[in-house]
């Protein structure tokens, strides 16, 4: 526990006491050190034991903890260009809020008590809301914050009710003790309502298609740090919550998940089709996240070994690839001051190396072999085919539209002839190349050793 809290506490203090001239360099170096130290969790997964009665680290939480630590440095690095021109107190407040959000997310992945998980799960809303509404660039940021707040609170009240019922049934909210409890829940009207209430908050957080309207608005209005954290780690809280609570529920509830699995697969197809009609760059990437998370939802509710492994691999890979796409979208926005795809075309002629980053990220987002996205999707789709052959139709159509919008994303933003206003832009900086390396390098490592995520 101290191994995690001490470095991040130092990071919080540095955001206020570091010299103003070296603020961003000091914070970036510290966060890179924390990211490097966090990779030791890969090698001790098999020997991990509960830290105390409230916190634990196991095979499900350790990859997500490493992802959260790893994305802290790129988040700070990506924000430097825009925030460095603002007053120093405003810069310090921004960095403090971002680091605080990462600490709360880390605690949420570590807790062994469901009520503590609920508290940390809800506590992430406050820093995220501050980042969106305080540093968002567009006039609709307050509306986006309202959508985000009320969607989250609506699901959270249902989750709290379910946890109270859980405590009444088992006498404890400790995940470890509930697993060892002889008490079993069986389908009835009361337990069915509990089952729906328990997963509603996680499905909104993922989000499931149909309760996803807050996500594109939040991404479009949020600054780069908000988009990176939202896509990289906060969406994974929903998947982590489903994986955690589904292990506590009897397999007799599996037939109840059949409509949800079918609807989530339909949501994968519909959100992929919506991506092909987007004109806003960040909105397109946001809808692609809805599509990928639909696969994770379907896999998490099937509760087979391959589906759970596939959902973990896809969550980790999506956290890196989606964050990289938002970084690239931010670099284009800083030069063109527009996210409209028509106004960004032809960038490859001016920035050939950035176009290479775009191509690599788009291909990984498309799940081109042998990317981690491909490994995760293959595991999930294999589990779906074993579950029902009828999923072949939805899965094949989803793959076609995923390929379509990925190529549309690359072609619309990089190819054709550049508009006149793009011919006098400043070149790419070393900071931006380092930022992309921090996203692509771990993805390439996972290609050579994907068992790290299993």
């Amino acid at each position: 526990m101290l191994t995690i809290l001490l470095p991040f506490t130092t990071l919080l203090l540095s955001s206020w006491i570091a010299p103003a001239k070296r603020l961003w360099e000091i914070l970036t170096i510290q966060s890179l050190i924390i990211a490097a130290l966090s990779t030791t969790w890969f090698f001790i997964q098999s020997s991990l034991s509960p830290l105390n009665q409230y916190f634990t680290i196991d095979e499900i939480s350790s990859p997500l903890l490493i992802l959260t630590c790893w994305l802290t440095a790129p988040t700070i690095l990506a924000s430097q260009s825009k925030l460095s021109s603002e007053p120093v107190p405003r810069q310090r407040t921004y960095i403090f809020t971002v680091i605080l959000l990462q600490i709360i997310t880390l605690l949420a992945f570590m807790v062994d008590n469901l009520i503590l998980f609920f508290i940390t799960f809800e506590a992430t809303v406050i820093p995220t809301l501050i980042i969106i509404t305080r540093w968002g660039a567009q006039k609709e940021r307050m509306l986006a914050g309202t959508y985000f707040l009320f969607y989250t609170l609506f699901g959270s009240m249902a989750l709290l009710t379910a946890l109270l019922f859980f405590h009444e049934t088992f006498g404890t909210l400790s995940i470890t003790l509930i697993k060892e409890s002889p008490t079993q829940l069986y389908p009835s009207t009361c337990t069915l309502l509990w089952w729906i209430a328990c997963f509603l908050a996680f499905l909104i957080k993922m989000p499931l298609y149909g309760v996803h309207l807050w996500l594109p608005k939040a991404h479009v209005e949020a600054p780069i740090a908000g988009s990176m954290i939202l896509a990289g780690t906060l969406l994974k809280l929903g998947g982590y919550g489903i994986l955690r609570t589904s292990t506590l529920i009897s397999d007799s509830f599996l037939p109840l998940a059949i409509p949800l699995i079918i609807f989530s697969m339909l949501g994968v197809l519909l959100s992929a089709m919506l991506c092909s009609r987007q004109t806003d760059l960040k909105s397109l990437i946001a809808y692609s996240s809805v599509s990928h998370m639909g696969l994770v939802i379907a896999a998490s509710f099937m509760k087979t070994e391959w589906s759970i492994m596939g959902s973990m691999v896809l969550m980790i890979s999506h956290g890196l690839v989606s964050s990289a796409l938002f970084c690239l979208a931010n670099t284009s926005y800083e030069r063109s001051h527009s996210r409209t795809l028509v106004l960004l075309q032809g960038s490859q002629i001016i920035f050939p190396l950035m176009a290479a980053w775009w191509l690599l990220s788009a291909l990984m987002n498309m799940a081109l072999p042998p990317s981690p996205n491909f490994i995760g999707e293959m595991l999930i789709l294999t589990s779906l085919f074993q579950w029902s052959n009828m999923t072949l139709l939805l899965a094949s159509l989803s793959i076609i539209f995923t390929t379509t919008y990925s190529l549309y994303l690359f072609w619309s933003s990089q190819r054709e002839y550049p508009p006149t206003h793009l011919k006098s832009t400043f070149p790419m900086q070393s900071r931006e190349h380092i930022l992309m390396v921090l996203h692509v390098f771990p993805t390439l490592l996972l290609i050579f050793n994907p068992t790290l995520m299993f």
Side-chain angles (χ1 to χ4, degrees), residues 71 73-79 219 223-225 227-229 231 281-282 285 319-335 354 357-358 361 428 431-440:
L71 287 180
T75 300
I76 296 173
L77 202 59
S79 307
H219 272 307
I224 178 59
S227 294
M228 289 174 66
I229 296 174
L281 183 56
K282 290 183 76 173
I285 302 170
L320 293 167
V321 174
S322 183
S323 179
L325 286 171
F326 278 114
C327 288
L328 288 168
N330 185 63
T331 58
S332 299
Y333 179 74
E334 287 178 349
R335 287 161 176 80
M354 187 167 76
W357 290 124
W358 268 109
S361 300
M428 282 195 76
R431 174 185 60 82
E432 293 165 335
H433 291 302
I434 294 171
L435 189 59
M436 291 308 302
V437 169
L438 288 174
H439 285 97
V440 174

Side-chain angles (χ1 to χ4, degrees), residues 150-264:
F150 279 93
Y151 265 89
T152 307
L153 289 180
F154 178 75
S156 301
M157 292 303 100
L159 177 60
L160 181 59
T161 307
L163 292 183
L164 294 176
F165 171 74
F166 220 28
H167 186 270
E168 185 71 22
T169 304
F170 292 98
T172 180
L173 287 176
S174 171
I175 297 173
T176 306
L177 292 177
I178 291 174
K179 285 181 180 178
E180 299 174 357
S181 173
T183 306
Q184 289 290 331
L185 290 173
Y186 296 100
S188 66
T189 304
C190 182
T191 54
L192 174 60
L193 292 174
W194 171 84
W195 187 84
I196 295 171
C198 182
F199 289 114
L200 184 61
F202 304 137
L203 294 175
I204 291 174
K205 197 75 168 182
M206 289 292 287
L208 176 70
Y209 184 86
V211 287
H212 69 285
L213 293 178
W214 65 270
L215 184 67
K217 287 184 178 294
H219 272 307
V220 167
E221 306 302 328
I224 178 59
S227 294
M228 289 174 66
I229 296 174
L230 200 57
T233 56
L234 290 185
L235 297 188
K236 311 304 175 290
L237 276 174
Y240 176 77
I242 292 174
L243 291 176
R244 271 282 181 243
T245 52
S246 62
T247 57
L248 311 178
I249 298 174
S250 170
D251 289 343
S252 57
F253 281 84
L254 285 178
L256 301 176
I258 292 175
L260 191 57
I261 295 173
I262 297 172
F263 184 75
S264 62

Side-chain angles (χ1 to χ4, degrees), residues 42-155:
F42 274 135
F43 307 104
I44 59 174
Q45 286 182 6
S46 58
S47 60
L48 288 174
S49 58
L51 305 178
N52 53 48
Q53 60 178 331
Y54 298 115
F55 296 95
T56 185
I57 302 175
D58 59 10
E59 291 84 355
I60 295 178
S61 59
S62 56
L64 295 169
L65 287 168
I66 296 168
L67 177 67
T68 307
C69 292
W70 188 267
L71 287 180
T72 305
T75 300
I76 296 173
L77 202 59
S79 307
Q80 182 177 349
S81 177
K82 181 182 177 182
L83 270 292
S84 56
S85 59
E86 296 192 359
V88 176
R90 188 172 164 88
Q91 295 181 38
R92 295 186 187 276
T93 307
Y94 180 87
I95 295 173
F96 178 83
T97 308
V98 168
I99 296 171
L100 181 64
L101 177 56
Q102 295 291 67
I103 292 174
I104 297 172
T105 309
L106 279 172
L107 292 176
F109 287 135
M110 291 173 59
V111 293
D112 190 43
N113 188 286
L114 286 175
I115 199 66
L116 278 179
F117 176 72
F118 174 79
I119 292 170
T120 51
F121 182 81
E122 291 309 306
T124 57
V125 173
I126 301 170
T128 310
L129 196 62
I130 293 172
I131 291 172
I132 292 174
T133 56
R134 190 72 183 88
W135 283 277
Q138 309 298 320
K139 63 181 181 180
E140 292 187 0
R141 61 183 184 272
M142 298 304 295
L143 179 63
T146 305
Y147 265 66
F148 172 70
L149 180 63
F150 279 93
Y151 265 89
T152 307
L153 289 180
F154 178 75

Side-chain angles (χ1 to χ4, degrees), residues 288-345:
S288 74
S289 296
V290 178
S291 179
H292 285 111
M293 290 301 103
L295 280 175
V296 175
I297 292 170
S300 301
F301 279 105
M302 280 190 294
K303 290 180 67 174
T304 63
E305 188 176 353
W306 278 31
S307 68
I308 291 174
M309 286 195 298
S311 61
M312 284 298 300
V313 173
L314 188 56
M315 280 197 292
I316 300 298
S317 178
H318 173 267
L320 293 167
V321 174
S322 183
S323 179
L325 286 171
F326 278 114
C327 288
L328 288 168
N330 185 63
T331 58
S332 299
Y333 179 74
E334 287 178 349
R335 287 161 176 80
S336 63
H337 302 289
S338 174
R339 292 190 305 269
T340 306
L341 288 168
V342 177
L343 300 178
L344 298 175
Q345 62 184 15

